[in-house]
Amino acid sequence: MTGLSTARSTTTLRLGTRASQLARTQSQTVADALTAAGGVPVELVHISTEGDRNAAAITQLGGTGVFVTAIRAALLDGTVDVAVHSYKDLPTAPEPGLVLAAVPPREDPRDALVARDRLTLGELPAGARVGTGAPRRMAQLRALGLGLEVVPIRGNVDTRMARVVPGDLDAVVLARAGLARLGRLDAVTEVLDPLQVLPAPAQGALAVECRADDERTLQLLAALDDPGTRAAVLAERTTLAALEAGCSAPVAAHAELAEGDDGLELYLRASVTAIDGSDGVRGSLTGPVGDAERLGRELAADLLDRGAAALMAASR
């Protein structure tokens, strides 16, 4: 056994995570994968973030970074060695001193409806109250023209679902990925078609960070990386960054890998929707997997040419 292998098996990695059930479940999955890949024991370290402590709307808290800043600070000061985030919570700008060491295989990124009486979106009556915490979902649900009353809500998965039966809401819309990780897919009454509600950039993906100078941890985490997921999310997040929009903006983007004439290609779709649902722009591009960033920039430029900036400004 080499010295590195000995170090891997005897030195515990401290993994920083939010303390919510979903965050702990996601982080435990990464911890288990690290132990399986490198024989390294992993300890979860629960960290309270601004988004956890404050019940105000994310837009009122400043949007981008409210769930990750405290965890990144703990990583930078050496309190933890690894951080696991829901990728869509990360600011688009890189954090000096840190590196995105792994993007594990992604869960299904689509949104899911949890409704009373097992109703689908189209079966909800006009005036039905549908809860969601995301401006993107609010905007797209209103744009469907179904006459729904879209209600802003916060809270963990169980708190949100508890408002449906019995409660004051007819339905809630959540990320399917979170429900899958928590084993709650039985509550889903409809998985929403991206043609109706396009997912958030990086929805369903995890981001695993470590310090840029931590060679041992970088090597361990490399085994968890999924190149296809990384490329798809890079295209989506580049679109978001080029639009100069934060994670609380009414911006959606979704990239899929497909076999093309010359190998694997990315099919990237994105949209910007007015928060009241009255207007919106959508677009798509296809290109080689290696051109993920270019595709994101070009699609963002197309959306901006067609009025995306004004739609985002009106939503602030």
Side-chain angles (χ1 to χ4, degrees):
M1 181 179 288
T2 67
L4 177 60
S5 297
T6 301
R8 284 183 183 179
S9 62
T10 60
T11 304
T12 298
L13 277 180
R14 298 157 301 168
L15 188 156
T17 177
R18 294 171 59 201
S20 72
Q21 183 184 7
L22 177 56
R24 287 185 282 111
T25 300
Q26 292 176 163
S27 295
Q28 190 61 56
T29 299
V30 173
D32 292 344
L34 270 170
T35 300
V40 59
V42 180
E43 172 193 0
L44 297 193
V45 179
H46 299 163
I47 298 171
S48 177
T49 71
E50 183 182 6
D52 297 312
R53 295 188 297 270
N54 195 321
I58 299 300
T59 50
Q60 293 177 330
L61 295 178
T64 307
V66 298
F67 291 118
V68 304
T69 301
I71 298 174
R72 281 178 155 179
L75 188 53
L76 286 166
D77 69 19
T79 302
V80 298
D81 307 298
V82 178
V84 175
H85 313 280
S86 290
Y87 202 152
K88 67 179 181 179
D89 291 338
L90 288 183
T92 54
E95 180 71 15
L98 301 182
V99 63
L100 182 60
V103 183
R106 183 186 209 171
E107 276 281 359
D108 186 331
R110 293 176 295 173
D111 284 314
L113 184 78
V114 176
R116 62 171 176 83
D117 304 322
R118 305 295 301 177
L119 297 176
T120 65
L121 196 61
E123 292 169 341
L124 288 170
R129 290 167 54 83
V130 180
T132 176
R136 168 193 61 85
R137 292 188 187 119
M138 292 180 183
Q140 292 190 84
L141 288 169
R142 289 167 178 153
L144 294 175
L146 299 175
L148 304 172
E149 180 185 352
V150 184
V151 180
I153 59 173
R154 286 273 324 265
N156 61 35
V157 169
D158 286 329
T159 299
R160 295 185 191 200
M161 290 199 301
R163 293 186 63 177
V164 177
V165 182
D168 61 330
L169 298 175
D170 295 289
V172 292
V173 179
L174 304 161
R176 185 192 180 283
L179 295 170
R181 290 178 176 130
L182 291 172
R184 302 299 302 276
L185 287 178
D186 58 330
V188 173
T189 57
E190 182 182 11
V191 177
L192 300 183
D193 190 322
L195 292 174
Q196 290 182 300
V197 181
L198 195 64
Q203 186 156 297
L206 300 179
V208 187
E209 289 186 313
C210 70
R211 290 181 293 278
D213 60 359
D214 187 349
E215 292 295 335
R216 169 181 171 260
T217 304
L218 278 166
Q219 184 176 346
L220 284 168
L221 292 175
L224 276 58
D225 193 62
D226 182 71
T229 298
R230 183 182 281 266
V233 172
L234 177 59
E236 296 164 10
R237 298 258 304 170
T238 300
T239 305
L240 184 68
L243 288 169
E244 298 184 357
C247 64
S248 61
V251 173
H254 180 219
E256 297 176 280
L257 271 71
E259 192 67 41
D261 293 339
D262 300 314
L264 275 181
E265 293 184 331
L266 279 177
Y267 172 51
L268 173 65
R269 291 176 284 174
S271 69
V272 179
T273 309
I275 197 68
D276 64 0
S278 61
D279 197 6
V281 290
R282 282 195 175 216
S284 63
L285 279 178
T286 302
V289 172
D291 288 350
E293 287 185 276
R294 176 184 64 80
L295 292 171
R297 287 193 300 269
E298 290 185 2
L299 186 50
D302 174 59
L303 296 177
L304 288 169
D305 285 345
R306 294 192 283 126
L311 294 172
M312 290 187 293
S315 300
R316 294 191 180 102

